[in-house]
Amino acid sequence: MLTEHKSGIVSNKIIEDYLYDGEIVGEGALRGVLFRLRQKTNKNLIFSYSKLGYKIEFD
């Protein structure tokens, strides 16, 4: 999902809807997923923007 939006920030809401199919989840659930994703990839690949969302940046 983040790779499809390389040019901009993907909002937390869009990511949550994609991952959880509209189910209401806590803020920590999304942070946990991104934490685990960062552990499995380059830590400098995914950037968080407080209260906005996340962005993936390739070199």
Side-chain angles (χ1 to χ4, degrees), residues 10-17 19-20 25-36 53-54:
V10 181
S11 74
N12 294 340
K13 175 74 173 129
I14 290 173
I15 298 170
E16 286 174 358
D17 287 346
L19 292 175
Y20 301 107
V25 295
E27 189 176 310
L30 181 58
R31 282 198 312 258
V33 168
L34 272 292
F35 175 79
R36 289 189 303 276
Y54 294 87

Side-chain angles (χ1 to χ4, degrees), residues 36-55:
R36 289 189 303 276
L37 185 60
R38 284 179 173 135
Q39 285 182 321
K40 294 181 185 290
T41 63
N42 182 339
K43 293 183 188 331
N44 297 320
L45 182 66
I46 301 170
F47 294 87
S48 60
Y49 294 87
S50 183
K51 308 276 188 218
L52 296 175
Y54 294 87
K55 181 178 181 181

